[in-house]
Amino acid sequence: MPINFHDPKNKLTYSTREADRGWKEFFAGLLNDDIQHAVDIGCGGGIYSKALFEAGIPAVTGVDFSKVMVEAAKTNCVDYSQIDFVMGNAHHTGLPDQSYDFVFERAIIHHLNDLSSCFSEASRLLKQDGTIYIQDRTPEDCLLEGTSSHIRGYFFELFPHLKEIERQRRHSSIEVIQALNSAGFTNIEEIKRWEIRQKYTTKKELIADIKERTGRSILHELTTQQLSQLAAFVDQRLPKTGEIIEKDRWTVWVARKK
Ligand SMILES: C[S@@+](CC[C@H](N)C(=O)[O-])C[C@H]1O[C@@H](n2cnc3c(N)ncnc32)[C@H](O)[C@@H]1O
């Protein structure tokens, strides 16, 4: 069954980590404009809303269609008065026209079927020359083989039926670029990058994380029994001792509103 973002059980799944330092450095390198107000659509627990503010954007509005996620984000960013959170849908946020310089959409588009509609909404929110930043994984990013740092690859090795689920829900780069074009975006740039997802001091911590399905919506497609099989499989594949630095490959698209 796909993840249910409205279930209180999943409240902490997208709020209990910090954006990686490497991501922060990469993002800082992209920011060459004077951005006053950003919108983080599909903000989850606000991890990146906070990171956008810490990167120097003075005001950030996080939007999510899940009340549970918005509550988690408010708790996560309780000390940041310049970040606010509202409930809204990526297709109809309810936010005002042409009021923002930057729209940020990380790890949301694989939950949406209609990309053109969500990018048109982003375009409506942006001022002229405003920037949209999208980050997600394409089918090719997801289905890279498993290694001691690309843990996700092991999931597909043990349960090949998950590959089809990823192929169905993930958008190809061509689809993303076409939808951006049709929503009126220009100067589209695509960047591929490996990102540290999490560092685990011990293998035990990673296994516990897998069993909890923390921050991994694909694991909601497995039964509890399959999840235990997967935990045992990953345990067997990894070295007995030593730190685990888990990485995922991502695609980032950056574009401008005409
Ligand atoms: C995988 S989480 C990513 C959270 C956050 N962007 C991050 O990278 O940590 C996807 C988020 O998108 C939200 N979401 C999914 N579909 C949505 C929609 N149609 N409108 C608004 N939010 C949506 C979910 O509630 C969830 O919080």
Side-chain angles (χ1 to χ4, degrees), residues 13-176:
T13 197
Y14 293 107
S15 66
T16 49
R17 64 180 188 91
E18 285 282 308
D20 171 61
R21 204 173 69 195
W23 182 89
K24 289 180 182 172
E25 285 165 10
F26 159 74
F27 188 70
L30 278 183
L31 278 182
N32 48 12
D33 289 340
D34 181 21
I35 298 170
Q36 291 304 316
H37 200 157
V39 187
D40 176 7
I41 299 181
C43 62
I47 295 170
Y48 291 86
S49 313
K50 195 192 278 185
L52 295 182
F53 173 73
E54 287 172 345
I57 301 177
V60 180
T61 298
V63 184
D64 204 287
F65 75 164
S66 157
K67 187 167 179 256
V68 169
M69 291 297 158
V70 167
E71 279 169 5
K74 284 183 176 169
T75 307
N76 187 18
C77 298
V78 68
D79 298 327
Y80 296 75
S81 60
Q82 304 86 338
I83 310 177
D84 66 325
F85 294 99
V86 293
M87 273 185 72
N89 198 297
H91 304 287
H92 308 280
T93 56
L95 296 173
D97 289 0
Q98 298 189 35
S99 303
Y100 307 90
D101 321 284
F102 196 78
V103 168
F104 181 84
E105 302 194 353
R106 185 186 183 280
I108 179 179
I109 62 167
H110 65 280
H111 297 294
L112 309 175
N113 291 326
D114 187 352
L115 286 187
S116 296
S117 145
C118 120
F119 295 161
S120 296
E121 174 64 358
S123 171
R124 184 186 70 75
L125 299 177
L126 284 169
K127 297 177 187 165
Q128 197 183 348
D129 289 330
T131 301
I132 186 168
Y133 173 108
I134 302 143
Q135 177 168 354
D136 216 308
R137 284 190 288 268
T138 63
E140 294 74 30
D141 294 331
C142 290
L143 300 180
L144 292 166
E145 69 171 341
T147 65
S148 57
S149 61
H150 187 241
I151 308 298
R152 202 174 284 269
Y154 294 138
F155 305 173
F156 304 104
E157 196 178 322
L158 185 63
F159 293 112
H161 76 277
L162 294 178
K163 288 186 188 177
E164 202 38 48
I165 296 176
E166 287 296 31
R167 285 195 195 101
Q168 293 283 332
R169 68 179 188 154
R170 301 276 168 183
H171 298 281
S172 69
S173 191
I174 291 172
E175 283 171 342
V176 175

